[in-house]
């Protein structure tokens, strides 16, 4: 079963997360298939830009708790999005949770409909938003991120745009996206690649400096007793014991 849909129109390749049964959770299989699709796009000179979108009501629910990706594979996917010599634009018309926000932050531009919602839910299941911090910390308002990392509160699209998670939002995500794609189609491929390199230099420095430490933190926390209890409680649709 294919987990990534692919279409192309006027030089823009649309990659669609297509695993609605688990809310497009980041399984090992989905991460691997998305990485392969991005690699193909990076080698194809006819691709001017990439749109990353989704089927169903959720862009991504984060790590698949039944089939989680290896932390190194997730780091590799996030870095691939940042390093790809083509602009990557996220198009969101649903909800984004936990690791899905790492995908969003790794994209160069992110737009969402005003109905979209966002939340860093890791702390509620006993883990930390470790690996996804690699693109998030350099690109998002630090005071706001502290609040939402620590509380797991849900935020709406307007707040997500205010703190830097989104580039733009509106009632119709495609209407917001249209002038962005028009601008990318009018731009020189060489100029896009070099301009993206300028924009992502500091993000890649964070990967170089912190990836090993955050990968180890992620693995350690997912193996902890709190994480086992938190994930079990989540799957059983009950509160974990630390909820007061």
């Amino acid at each position: 079963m294919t987990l990534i849909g692919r279409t192309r129109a006027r030089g823009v390749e649309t990659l669609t997360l297509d695993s609605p049964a688990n809310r497009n959770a980041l399984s090992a299989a989905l991460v691997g298939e998305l990485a392969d699709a991005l690699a193909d796009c990076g080698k194809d000179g006819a691709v001017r830009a990439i749109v990353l979108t989704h089927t169903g009501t959720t862009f991504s629910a984060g790590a698949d708790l039944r089939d989680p990706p290896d932390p190194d594979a997730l780091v590799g996917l996030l870095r691939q999005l940042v390093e790809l010599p083509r602009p990557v634009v996220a198009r969101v018309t649903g909800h984004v949770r936990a690791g899905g926000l790492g995908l969003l932050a790794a994209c160069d531009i992110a737009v969402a409909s005003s109905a979209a919602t966002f939340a860093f839910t890791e702390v509620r299941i006993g883990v930390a938003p470790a690996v996804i911090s690699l693109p998030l910390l350099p690109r998002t308002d630090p005071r706001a991120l502290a609040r939402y990392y620590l509380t797991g509160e849900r935020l709406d699209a307007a707040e997500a745009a205010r703190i830097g998670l989104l580039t733009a939002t509106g009632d119709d995500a495609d209407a917001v996206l249209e002038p962005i794609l028009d601008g990318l189609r009018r731009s020189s491929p060489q100029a896009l690649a070099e301009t993206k390199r300028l924009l992502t230099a500091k993000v890649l420095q964070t990967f170089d400096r912190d990836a090993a430490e955050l990968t180890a933190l992620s693995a350690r926390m997912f193996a902890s007793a709190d994480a086992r209890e938190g994930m079990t409680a989540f799957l059983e649709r009950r509160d974990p014991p630390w909820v007061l």
Side-chain angles (χ1 to χ4, degrees), residues 139-165:
R139 286 179 158 167
T140 312
D141 177 83
R143 297 298 287 178
L145 206 58
R147 171 181 175 175
Y148 295 117
Y149 265 24
L150 291 168
T151 66
E153 292 172 86
R154 188 171 66 181
L155 55 153
D156 63 18
E159 176 69 353
R162 186 190 72 80
I163 70 173
L165 277 173

Side-chain angles (χ1 to χ4, degrees), residues 157-173:
E159 176 69 353
R162 186 190 72 80
I163 70 173
L165 277 173
L166 294 177
T167 307
T169 183
D171 290 340
D172 183 343

Side-chain angles (χ1 to χ4, degrees), residues 57-145:
T57 60
T58 303
F59 176 80
S60 177
D64 187 335
L65 300 183
R66 292 186 170 92
D67 179 27
D70 181 87
D72 286 325
L74 183 55
V75 169
L77 175 63
L78 297 178
R79 181 162 193 146
Q80 187 179 15
L81 284 163
V82 175
E83 283 189 316
L84 203 73
R86 311 282 189 274
V88 184
V89 183
R91 172 192 175 273
V92 178
T93 60
H95 311 301
V96 193
R97 299 291 184 266
L101 288 160
L103 288 184
L104 205 64
C107 293
D108 303 289
I109 297 170
V111 305
S113 68
S114 54
T117 68
F118 310 82
F120 297 98
T121 52
E122 289 90 345
V123 290
R124 298 194 177 188
I125 63 165
V127 297
V131 166
I132 65 170
S133 289
L134 292 165
L136 276 160
L137 290 176
R139 286 179 158 167
T140 312
D141 177 83
R143 297 298 287 178
L145 206 58

Side-chain angles (χ1 to χ4, degrees), residues 14-43:
T14 298
L15 303 180
T16 303
L17 306 181
D18 190 17
S19 183
N22 68 351
R23 299 191 301 152
N24 294 315
L26 301 177
S27 63
L30 186 145
V31 166
E33 196 171 322
L34 179 55
D36 289 344
L38 289 168
D40 289 345
C41 292
K43 293 181 289 189

